[in-house]
Amino acid sequence: MLQISRKGDYAIRGMVYLASQPVDKVSLLSDIAAKMEVPQTFLAKIFQQFNKSGLVKSYRGAGGGFKLGRPAENISLLEIVETVEGPIVPNRCIMAAGICSRDISCTVHPVWKEVQKSMREILSSVTLKHLAGR
Amino acid sequence: MLQISRKGDYAIRGMVYLASQPVDKVSLLSDIAAKMEVPQTFLAKIFQQFNKSGLVKSYRGAGGGFKLGRPAENISLLEIVETVEGPIVPNRCIMAAGICSRDISCTVHPVWKEVQKSMREILSSVTLKHLAGR
DNA sequence: TTGTACGGGACAAAAAAGGTCTTATTGGAG
DNA sequence: CTCCAATAAGACCTTTTTTGTCCCGTACAA
Ligand code: SF4
Ligand code: SF4
């Protein structure tokens, strides 16, 4: 449908929340989920991914929670989206050469490449710093 | 998944085929499907939509088939895609105000608006004339 | 050692994608 | 006027993806 999934949107919401907290503050998942209106168990899964990729750092046990893995200005929207949704590819044939047998001669192929480039440029130019409501 | 569906890609293939034929030539669905490597019955559905929207003109019975409903230079990729996939909306909240209750204060919302604008600009600037293999 | 909070995996309902099948309808040619 | 060619329309179907939930394990602090 050429549209981001809820997972992607929820992921961004969660990260924006963390970015809007005091630096190094550890936030409870339940707080993040409530404030950003995201199903908590779903967000848990998303943050597990982020923890593995290093985008967030998690702490278990009492007093545990999540905080950003890096300064907000070093985390782009593109990285968040691609971590949960996979690479931004507006059409199958952009993923890799040969996936569509027609790609070599196809006149439409370059257009999708341009769309991809443009999207990546926009998303990579926006960081959590920009998004954190002040 | 932020990706065009096969339906959308097939739709484009079919239209590019028509655009690369002599003007006013009526092409058989079976020929289009074979040449462009698209499941014929699926393409039939797509072209029915196009016929209703006026993007193609169909002729039934012996000697029937399809041709473009307008000159190739007046049909953009954007129009083709939006006819089969619906409006280009990179996130739900772009469809209409109020779909996401957070849209008014959301700092991410404007970014998706920009993504939408950029995609629509690229796709509307490409016409079937540009895509028809010479 | 107990309660809190995240980690990981299995599970599942609902929606969307990707087609197929059958039965009209229409129009041309004999 | 009758057959055949070709699209129209709609019902139907299967597979994949999305959108979550549940349960149990593990870590950690008081
Ligand atoms: S745009 Fe061209 S190359 Fe890409 S999937 Fe479609 S036909 Fe293949
Ligand atoms: S980007 Fe903001 S407004 Fe749009 S759906 Fe996400 S939270 Fe809502």
Side-chain angles (χ1 to χ4, degrees), chain B residues 25-90:
Chain B
K25 153 125 192 253
V26 171
S27 301
L28 278 178
L29 184 65
S30 53
D31 287 348
I32 308 170
K35 282 273 172 42
M36 305 312 274
E37 301 175 280
V38 170
Q40 182 176 335
T41 60
F42 199 0
L43 188 61
K45 289 296 174 201
I46 296 167
F47 270 32
Q48 278 173 32
Q49 266 186 273
F50 284 157
N51 184 49
K52 278 193 271 197
S53 82
L55 278 183
V56 305
K57 191 145 177 22
S58 76
Y59 302 90
R60 306 219 266 199
F66 298 89
K67 65 166 189 160
L68 293 182
R70 298 202 301 268
E73 57 266 36
N74 292 344
I75 300 179
S76 72
L77 213 40
L78 179 67
E79 194 173 354
I80 296 173
V81 171
E82 291 203 323
T83 298
V84 295
E85 305 252 1
I88 300 246
V89 283

Side-chain angles (χ1 to χ4, degrees), chain A residues 6-126:
Chain A
R6 286 180 201 242
K7 185 175 172 187
D9 190 65
Y10 293 163
I12 296 169
R13 293 195 205 183
M15 292 300 273
V16 168
Y17 179 94
L18 289 186
S20 67
Q21 293 305 115
V23 175
D24 282 342
K25 153 124 193 255
V26 173
S27 301
L28 278 177
L29 184 66
S30 52
D31 287 348
I32 309 170
K35 284 271 172 43
M36 305 311 275
E37 301 175 282
V38 171
Q40 182 175 334
T41 60
F42 199 1
L43 188 61
K45 289 296 173 202
I46 294 167
F47 270 31
Q48 278 175 32
Q49 263 185 277
F50 284 157
N51 184 48
K52 278 193 270 198
S53 82
L55 278 184
V56 305
K57 189 141 176 30
S58 74
Y59 302 92
R60 304 218 266 197
F66 298 88
K67 64 167 190 159
L68 292 183
R70 298 202 302 268
E73 56 266 36
N74 292 343
I75 300 179
S76 71
L77 213 40
L78 179 67
E79 196 173 352
I80 296 173
V81 170
E82 290 204 322
T83 298
V84 296
E85 305 253 3
I88 301 246
V89 282
N91 200 347
R92 218 170 351 290
C93 54
I94 302 299
M95 286 177 38
I99 287 196
C100 175
S101 58
R102 331 184 95 253
D103 57 4
I104 299 184
S105 61
C106 178
T107 54
V108 189
H109 187 78
V111 179
W112 293 122
K113 270 233 146 91
E114 194 188 339
V115 168
Q116 179 192 39
K117 179 155 172 284
S118 162
M119 284 194 58
R120 290 181 53 94
E121 272 172 9
I122 294 173
L123 294 180
S124 65
S125 75
V126 178

